[in-house]
């Protein structure tokens, strides 16, 4: 198992990617949604509405998993972090909410009265995840170990993702 100090893990946590957040619904099924995130060096934060399913799930069952995938077939890598989660409200949520908005929205978007204030009002809480499990993967390393570099030397082996 890797740690938060691992170079690949840090690269993904500090990068601007879309992550998938998984929480547990009351019936035991998994609720998974795409989210923006911010890493402060020890915890991962997600901002959302206090009325969202993910917020209600974390309030009831204080656990979550966050998965970040580079979405690059040629250099596919990712990390999955699982651990204790809690909802931050009021002043305790202000810094993570501002950091997330600043990470994903341009200064112009934040200053635009049609955009910045809407995000600020909608995202009224933050979810803090304290990772207790960190798992990462790197297709480039798998290619070197198990395929003898075949994928790297033949870029057409992996088909491009469609958006």
């Amino acid at each position: 198992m890797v740690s938060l100090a691992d170079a690949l893990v840090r690269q993904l946590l500090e990068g601007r990617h879309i992550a998938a957040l998984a929480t547990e619904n009351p019936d035991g099924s998994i609720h998974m949604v795409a989210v923006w995130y911010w890493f402060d060096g020890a915890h991962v934060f997600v901002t959302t509405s206090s009325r969202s399913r993910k917020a209600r799930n974390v309030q009831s069952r204080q656990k979550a998993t966050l998965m970040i995938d580079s979405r690059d077939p040629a250099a596919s890598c990712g990390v999955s972090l699982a651990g204790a989660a809690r909802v931050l409200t009021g002043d305790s949520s202000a810094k993570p909410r501002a950091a997330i908005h600043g990470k994903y929205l341009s200064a112009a978007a934040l200053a635009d009265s049609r955009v910045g204030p809407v995000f600020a009002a909608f995202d009224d809480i933050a979810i803090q995840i304290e990772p207790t499990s960190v798992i990462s993967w790197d297709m480039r390393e798998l290619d070197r170990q198990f395929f003898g570099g075949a994928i790297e030397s033949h870029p057409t082996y992996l088909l491009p993702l469609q958006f």
Side-chain angles (χ1 to χ4, degrees):
M1 189 179 326
V2 296
S3 74
L4 292 175
D6 180 78
L8 176 63
V9 172
R10 298 292 290 211
Q11 175 187 347
L12 289 161
L13 286 169
E14 293 167 1
R16 188 180 312 114
H17 303 280
I18 303 299
L21 178 72
T23 59
E24 185 181 349
N25 287 318
D27 67 1
S29 64
I30 300 303
H31 175 71
M32 187 176 301
V33 293
V35 295
W36 294 346
Y37 65 91
W38 173 65
F39 178 60
D40 74 350
H43 303 94
V44 180
F45 299 86
V46 171
T47 189
T48 190
S49 167
S50 56
R51 297 175 303 283
S52 69
R53 166 59 52 201
K54 58 187 165 285
R56 293 192 313 268
N57 284 349
V58 169
Q59 287 170 333
S60 298
R61 288 161 296 287
Q62 293 80 37
K63 59 185 177 179
T65 299
L66 186 85
M67 190 272 298
I68 305 164
D69 187 326
S70 69
R71 305 287 199 268
D72 178 357
S76 179
C77 58
V79 63
S80 179
L81 310 162
R86 67 186 184 118
V87 171
L88 303 178
T89 61
D91 291 343
S92 66
S93 73
K95 182 177 179 180
R97 289 185 297 120
I100 291 167
H101 292 160
K103 180 177 177 179
Y104 289 89
L105 297 168
S106 69
L110 290 169
D112 187 324
S113 62
R114 299 166 298 175
V115 178
V118 175
F119 271 101
F122 182 76
D123 289 341
D124 61 336
I125 65 158
I127 295 172
Q128 176 186 347
I129 303 167
E130 183 174 350
T132 55
S133 169
V134 180
I135 301 168
S136 69
W137 60 92
D138 186 341
M139 184 62 173
R140 297 162 296 192
E141 186 60 34
L142 291 173
D143 179 33
R144 286 189 285 275
Q145 286 183 19
F146 297 103
F147 307 124
I151 294 173
E152 182 179 14
S153 61
H154 296 89
T156 59
Y157 278 15
L158 295 176
L159 298 174
L161 299 177
Q162 296 175 330
F163 294 98

